[in-house]
Amino acid sequence: MLNIAFIESLLGIKTLESPDFSTMFRPLPKLLIVDDSPSNRMSMCETLRNAPIDIICATNGSEAVRLASKHRFFLVFMDVNMPGMDGFETCEIIHSQHIQDSHVTLPIIFITASSGAGQVDRCYQSGGIDFIAKPYNEKILVAKTKIFLHLYQERLRTCEALIEVETARKRSELLVHNAGEGIIGLDNELIIHSANSVACALLLSKKSDLIGSSIRTVICQKEDDDKTWEESPLVRAYSESQNVHMEDALFHRSFGQPLSVEYTFASIVSNNTLDGGVLLFQDISERKETAGKLIQLAQFDQLTGLYNRMMFHSLLDQILTGANRYSTEIALHFLDLDNFKDVNDTLGHDAGDIVIQEAARRLKHCLRDSDIIARLGGDEFGIIQRLDEQRQVSGAYLAERIIETFQVPFTINNTDAFIGCSIGIALYPEHAKTGADLIKDADTAMYKSKQSGRNQFHFFSNEMQDQMMQHMELVTSLKHALENKEIFLVYQPQIDLDTKSVVGVEALMRWLHPKRGLVGPDVFIPIAEQSGLINALGEWCLLEACNQAKKWSDKETGLALEVYLSVNVSTNQLAHGGFSKVLKRVLDVTQVDPKILKLEITETVLMQNPEVTIAELEKINQFGVDIAIDDFGTGFSSLSYLGVLPLTCLKIDRCFVTDICSNETNQKIILSIINLAQSLELSVIGEGVETEEELEFLYHHGCRKIQGYYFSKPIAADKIQDFIAESKKVICSKIALI
Ligand code: C2E
Ligand code: CA
Ligand code: CA
């Protein structure tokens, strides 16, 4: 049979030893005196005053009946002769009423004046237990009271003990059936002899089917477990009179379905011999499922199903430990998609998600089973590749394959988008010994791929490391360049060949680095754009240039130069909105005439956030400020925006102008730009003109505004006035040559 105390101890239930409040606050036993004579009642009360009892009195039979139904008395002293209902009648009614709700008869002792035989018979017939003759002997009254009091207290104790036993029985019954755990009792042959309802429910079995069968039919051994039944944990524990706890086991339900359980088996030993055991178990399938989900969340990227960054780091560390032991070599590939930001910005995040998923699918396709891939975040992926002997070759081979698979366009919402992939590769142990360093080196190499034109791969090298360090230093020092007054502007004149005069100047930024000397904008503008510093730099440039232009144009200074001012505005400044407010503030502060201001933007500006950009450009145009497209022809965006934007000018990029005389393609491009500008009624400026031939070509094909070293390099602000004063002669002499 089940040993309840044993089960309780297994379940950790402990009965607390509390003080017995029931006896501390228990009311005194009650005695009822029924007598119509007040003096009798009083004298009896007086006689029993020292007894530890509570005396209640009734003056007649019906009051006695009422009191007897209300209180539980241990004894009644009943006068026989009373007006109305006599004592016998009262006794009969009390007993008849009492019997219905108690199995213990209320003892009633009659107090009677007559002790004749008839009277005594009546006494017992009516249910009395005894009688006392009047006038009563006080000692007899006290003695009888004591006896019945004692009997009552004894009975009470027995009752309480019985109640306790009953409560304990009910409690353990409840426990066994509602424990939430399956409980199975086993005999000494490990045959099931009892099972609670939870056990039956969990095993989908009837109690009658379980009882009599071996526990072996319930416990199933895992497939990869080659132990025999005799070696199984439960049987071994039993044979050693021990207990065993299994956190993750499988039981058979009926029809062979498996059930994940946690179980405890305890052997029962009685009189030094093994006497079966108790098996407690609970269903852990839900817990396992939740745990599985948590693992999934903690280790895998939800979008692609690949490992996440955290898991990648930990796998890399594990693999490197193994690689060290077995002298394996490893290539770590760090990948970053090209132009992914444009997809996200222009086509939305859902499209971005599709690209990431498709990229993950393509990458997995390139890998061998032994390679590990993870999404490191955003559009970055990491691959751990175990190398064979020709390590560089196989590292490069994988990178080439990956780049090749990205040549196929991504189809997003029925549109084809070309998204390349830049890769950096670091080798273990050649480049780094730890996972973190390896990732850092691969990242550096990846950065090199991006800088060299994207859609390619590079192996890490120490020179790269140096370049990276220098780059990082530049980023840091650029942060303080403005406040240290290391940034300044130079101005390059723009010439009108028809009027033979300087019509404008382009403000160009310079950085005089305290250690490196002059750093060109080609180097620091991209850094400023990446680090977000471009907004502060751009605003400073606009303010400084406008202040300068105000000085030039002001009649009071005596200069009164009539030139317009071109200021470059970076794509990042425009694409995030708010630039028009900056411009308005600068115009208000400097009081420069908006009509002399021209902002140069590049075509790529429309690739990022076109709605915001177009709205900004329209506001700018409403201020009366001109807008020119810089580096025209180098961007890849659609020409349709030319009709939409409030433009006044196109600038032909220097790359088309250089070597113009020997490069027919560039000639064709320049001619079509000039035609386009003319048909859209836009002015056109040829930039980067260095030679007489270049000037001649542009002049004869209708481009009459020129900027280039042939006339002037960018010069300091205070040189502009002299340059303009001298310019007419110089311009005329140069035009005369062509
Ligand atoms: P950009 O806007 O196309 O400016 C013209 C660049 O071509 C200037 O280089 C100028 O010095 C150069 N250039 C002009 N004529 C000739 C020539 O005949 N031969 C040669 N070899 N070069 C010539 P710079 O000043 O180095 O500026 C380079 C680029 O940096 C600029 O190209 C512009 O994109 C950016 N940049 C410069 N200043 C600023 C600025 O204040 N804000 C922003 N956002 N970008 C700027
Ligand atoms: Ca420019
Ligand atoms: Ca340009």
Side-chain angles (χ1 to χ4, degrees):
M1 278 300 290
L2 284 178
N3 177 338
I4 298 302
F6 178 72
I7 293 170
E8 285 190 2
S9 74
L10 278 178
L11 296 175
I13 295 168
K14 197 165 171 253
T15 318
L16 285 174
E17 289 197 7
S18 56
D20 189 355
F21 291 107
S22 59
T23 52
M24 279 168 74
F25 300 111
R26 185 181 286 162
L28 291 171
K30 287 173 186 158
L31 177 109
L32 178 62
I33 293 173
V34 189
D35 206 307
D36 58 319
S37 147
S39 58
N40 279 355
R41 294 197 302 267
M42 263 175 61
S43 80
M44 283 166 84
C45 286
E46 182 56 26
T47 309
L48 297 170
R49 82 173 178 278
N50 290 331
I53 57 172
D54 185 8
I55 301 173
I56 296 172
C57 296
T59 56
N60 57 50
S62 47
E63 195 186 353
V65 171
R66 193 178 53 76
L67 285 168
S69 69
K70 197 168 156 206
H71 300 275
R72 182 161 297 243
F73 295 104
F74 73 90
L75 181 63
V76 180
F77 285 123
M78 176 86 73
D79 182 24
V80 173
N81 293 317
M82 288 184 292
M85 243 195 311
D86 69 7
F88 298 131
E89 225 178 316
T90 309
C91 177
E92 278 164 5
I93 294 174
I94 287 175
H95 277 165
S96 66
Q97 185 190 59
H98 221 238
I99 278 162
Q100 286 169 14
D101 51 39
S102 164
H103 1 269
V104 187
T105 317
L106 173 59
I108 297 178
I109 297 177
F110 288 107
I111 303 194
T112 169
S114 135
S115 54
Q119 191 79 336
V120 174
D121 284 353
R122 254 330 286 283
C123 205
Y124 291 117
Q125 276 163 10
S126 63
I129 202 159
D130 201 357
F131 71 94
I132 297 173
K134 268 186 188 171
Y136 62 83
N137 180 321
E138 284 186 356
K139 283 187 184 153
I140 291 178
L141 193 77
V142 171
K144 288 200 191 266
T145 302
K146 269 190 181 168
I147 289 168
F148 281 96
L149 180 62
H150 179 73
L151 279 173
Y152 172 78
Q153 283 170 332
E154 274 305 300
R155 203 177 60 229
L156 211 62
R157 266 195 280 277
T158 321
C159 259
E160 274 170 4
L162 278 170
I163 287 168
E164 216 166 81
V165 168
E166 180 70 359
T167 315
R169 191 184 64 76
K170 281 201 175 133
R171 200 176 52 186
S172 47
E173 216 169 65
L174 271 174
L175 204 64
V176 170
H177 290 287
N178 300 317
E181 280 192 308
I183 303 177
I184 285 177
L186 301 174
D187 69 10
N188 53 7
E189 304 263 278
L190 297 181
I191 303 292
I192 301 173
H193 65 60
S194 55
N196 72 345
S197 45
V198 179
C200 299
L202 287 179
L203 297 172
L204 303 174
S205 305
K206 283 195 226 140
K207 197 181 228 168
S208 51
D209 291 341
L210 284 175
I211 291 175
S213 48
S214 164
I215 194 61
R216 194 173 176 171
T217 58
V218 171
I219 297 178
C220 63
Q221 281 177 278
K222 292 192 175 163
E223 273 167 24
D224 54 355
D225 193 350
D226 50 9
K227 291 193 187 103
T228 61
W229 172 243
E230 280 66 33
E231 287 171 314
S232 69
L234 187 143
V235 180
R236 282 190 55 181
Y238 184 60
S239 63
E240 290 162 14
S241 315
Q242 293 295 323
N243 302 342
V244 65
H245 179 81
M246 299 294 288
E247 277 190 354
D248 184 6
L250 275 183
F251 277 11
H252 280 302
R253 307 174 114 166
S254 64
F255 313 114
Q257 293 171 29
L259 170 71
S260 290
V261 294
E262 175 178 350
Y263 78 74
T264 301
F265 171 77
S267 309
I268 298 177
V269 181
S270 59
N271 299 329
N272 287 331
T273 49
L274 264 174
D275 191 16
V278 179
L279 179 68
L280 293 116
F281 62 98
Q282 47 181 298
D283 180 357
I284 57 162
S285 354
E286 225 169 85
R287 195 202 303 166
K288 276 188 78 172
E289 202 177 303
T290 318
K293 278 188 195 146
L294 285 176
I295 288 173
Q296 179 74 21
L297 274 177
Q299 300 183 342
F300 295 92
D301 169 53
Q302 297 306 297
L303 184 64
T304 58
L306 302 180
Y307 288 120
N308 62 17
R309 173 182 285 271
M310 211 183 73
M311 200 54 193
F312 186 72
H313 283 249
S314 105
L315 285 171
L316 180 61
D317 288 341
Q318 282 172 35
I319 288 169
L320 290 187
T321 314
N324 185 25
R325 201 173 304 143
Y326 302 110
S327 308
T328 317
E329 296 189 47
I330 281 167
L332 190 123
H333 299 247
F334 195 106
L335 293 84
D336 190 293
L337 303 188
D338 298 331
N339 309 325
F340 176 72
K341 201 175 167 311
D342 292 341
V343 173
N344 242 356
D345 289 347
T346 52
L347 299 174
H349 288 272
D350 287 347
D353 285 356
I354 294 172
V355 170
I356 295 290
Q357 284 170 326
E358 172 62 11
R361 201 189 57 74
R362 291 187 191 186
L363 289 171
K364 268 198 288 194
H365 197 70
C366 297
L367 302 181
R368 290 183 305 191
D369 288 347
S370 57
D371 300 332
I372 285 172
I373 175 163
R375 180 177 175 215
L376 304 178
D379 59 343
E380 290 174 359
F381 296 87
I383 294 170
I384 305 168
Q385 181 191 15
R386 288 189 179 83
L387 296 179
D388 43 36
E389 274 144 30
Q390 290 177 305
R391 59 193 204 288
Q392 290 258 359
V393 176
S394 61
Y397 177 73
L398 174 60
E400 262 163 17
R401 269 195 64 174
I402 291 172
I403 286 169
E404 205 178 284
T405 56
F406 278 81
Q407 300 312 306
V408 181
F410 285 67
T411 309
I412 312 153
N413 307 335
N414 297 324
T415 321
D416 278 355
F418 285 91
I419 293 158
C421 177
S422 299
I423 306 174
I425 310 168
L427 301 173
Y428 170 91
E430 189 180 323
H431 296 137
K433 301 276 189 293
T434 69
D437 285 348
L438 212 55
I439 292 177
K440 189 164 67 61
D441 291 352
D443 191 7
T444 305
M446 190 281 292
Y447 190 77
K448 171 80 182 168
S449 300
K450 287 267 182 209
Q451 276 188 323
S452 319
R454 305 174 174 207
N455 208 24
Q456 50 189 285
F457 70 89
H458 279 88
F459 280 92
F460 173 79
S461 71
N462 289 329
E463 301 84 71
M464 224 179 254
Q465 174 77 6
D466 294 344
Q467 283 168 12
M468 190 71 179
M469 293 297 286
Q470 286 179 13
H471 174 80
M472 293 315 291
E473 266 170 34
L474 268 190
V475 174
T476 315
S477 46
L478 184 60
K479 284 188 184 142
H480 307 288
L482 259 188
E483 64 199 53
N484 293 346
K485 300 204 168 23
E486 293 161 17
I487 305 282
F488 63 96
L489 294 182
V490 288
Y491 300 86
Q492 188 176 30
Q494 295 173 334
I495 315 294
D496 186 330
L497 300 179
D498 290 332
T499 61
K500 302 178 179 61
S501 61
V502 175
V503 285
V505 290
E506 179 180 2
L508 294 158
M509 240 190 269
R510 296 288 178 267
W511 178 17
L512 188 61
H513 190 279
K515 287 191 196 134
R516 294 168 179 240
L518 210 56
V519 181
D522 284 334
V523 176
F524 72 84
I525 294 286
I527 296 176
E529 283 174 339
Q530 279 161 21
S531 59
L533 287 168
I534 191 66
N535 289 318
L537 277 180
E539 191 172 340
W540 174 86
C541 167
L542 190 65
L543 183 67
E544 173 76 9
C546 286
N547 270 326
Q548 184 58 56
K550 178 73 184 162
K551 280 186 209 155
W552 282 329
S553 64
D554 218 338
K555 295 196 171 63
E556 284 165 25
T557 59
L559 295 173
L561 300 178
E562 285 178 4
V563 288
Y564 60 78
L565 168 76
S566 278
V567 176
N568 293 286
V569 180
S570 150
T571 307
N572 296 27
Q573 282 173 274
L574 274 170
H576 298 113
F579 178 75
S580 56
K581 286 203 187 105
V582 172
L583 176 63
K584 181 83 178 59
R585 202 163 53 233
V586 170
L587 291 174
D588 288 347
V589 170
T590 57
Q591 287 295 304
V592 76
D593 179 3
K595 288 201 187 63
I596 68 160
L597 190 59
K598 187 184 277 184
L599 299 181
E600 295 192 3
I601 60 170
T602 56
E603 284 173 88
T604 44
V605 81
L606 287 172
M607 301 267 288
Q608 288 184 30
N609 222 347
E611 279 155 35
V612 173
T613 308
I614 291 172
E616 283 288 284
L617 293 178
E618 264 156 13
K619 278 189 213 156
I620 291 168
N621 187 242
Q622 279 163 18
F623 299 153
V625 173
D626 272 356
I627 297 161
I629 297 275
D630 205 354
D631 307 343
F632 190 76
T634 57
F636 304 101
S637 52
S638 135
L639 291 183
S640 57
Y641 67 86
L642 286 178
V644 181
L645 296 178
L647 305 174
T648 54
C649 177
L650 299 183
K651 289 185 83 175
I652 304 171
D653 192 64
R654 184 160 60 89
C655 69
F656 302 119
V657 176
T658 310
D659 301 330
I660 199 168
C661 302
S662 55
N663 190 324
E664 271 187 40
T665 314
N666 282 354
Q667 287 179 8
K668 284 182 190 154
I669 292 173
I670 288 179
L671 290 182
S672 52
I673 294 175
I674 295 171
N675 280 334
L676 189 70
Q678 282 169 351
S679 60
L680 290 170
E681 295 179 358
L682 301 173
S683 68
V684 60
I685 300 181
E687 193 173 37
V689 178
E690 292 188 1
T691 64
E692 194 184 311
E693 292 76 26
E694 287 162 6
L695 180 72
E696 190 174 7
F697 183 90
L698 289 169
Y699 181 84
H700 290 301
H701 290 94
C703 176
R704 298 296 173 84
K705 291 199 175 74
I706 301 294
Q707 182 181 342
Y709 291 179
Y710 190 60
F711 287 106
S712 171
K713 286 196 168 183
I715 52 178
D718 56 11
K719 299 268 170 8
I720 285 290
Q721 197 194 356
D722 291 346
F723 181 84
I724 291 175
E726 304 283 314
S727 64
K728 200 104 191 171
K729 261 196 301 179
V730 179
I731 296 168
C732 286
S733 65
K734 288 192 171 163
I735 292 178
L737 297 174
I738 57 177

